[in-house]
Amino acid sequence: MSRADEPEGDADLDRARVAEARGRLLPPLDRLVASVERDGKAVALDYFRTTRDELAASVTPDDLQAVFLQRLAPSGPVALQARVGAESLALLDEVLELAQEISMAFIEPSPTLH
């Protein structure tokens, strides 16, 4: 069954789970953006601000997956190439670990994130 064929309740559940994921990921991502801004790394700052904006706009699991695959997956090399500071790298690790945890929760059949 495709997403378009899902019963309305499933779509509502998906939106609720994405909202929960946003609520968990946005605070550490905000801390990362603030840290990269303190580092003075404009390219990395733009990258992580855009990542934050795309996460904040996520509504469906597909939206969330796009942020994970297109923005967070390549974020390590972006941060390293920009030479962000140790605090920013630690915050990025926190964001990526949480994103992995959330991603795994979406794979498991569960009405809430763990």
Side-chain angles (χ1 to χ4, degrees):
M1 175 171 18
S2 74
R3 291 241 182 246
D5 297 331
E6 282 185 354
E8 190 64 31
D10 288 349
D12 289 343
L13 180 59
D14 281 348
R15 285 190 293 275
R17 291 178 78 205
V18 170
E20 184 180 346
R22 278 194 324 262
R24 289 182 65 196
L25 270 170
L26 283 172
L29 193 52
D30 285 339
R31 289 191 299 273
L32 172 60
V33 167
S35 180
V36 171
E37 187 169 23
R38 285 190 301 273
D39 291 340
K41 305 297 183 180
V43 172
L45 180 59
D46 182 54
Y47 186 88
F48 289 112
R49 278 184 176 157
T50 300
T51 301
R52 190 228 177 269
D53 292 347
E54 288 182 16
L55 175 64
S58 295
V59 175
T60 67
D62 289 341
D63 296 339
L64 193 61
Q65 181 181 26
V67 171
F68 286 1
L69 294 176
Q70 296 170 7
R71 302 299 302 183
L72 291 176
S75 63
V78 168
L80 291 173
Q81 189 171 36
R83 298 180 192 270
V84 300
E87 178 186 355
S88 294
L89 289 176
L91 288 166
L92 177 56
D93 282 345
E94 178 184 337
V95 168
L96 293 176
E97 286 176 20
L98 184 55
Q100 182 177 11
E101 177 186 319
I102 290 169
S103 181
M104 294 305 295
F106 269 88
I107 292 170
E108 299 169 5
S110 170
T112 61
L113 299 178
H114 305 287

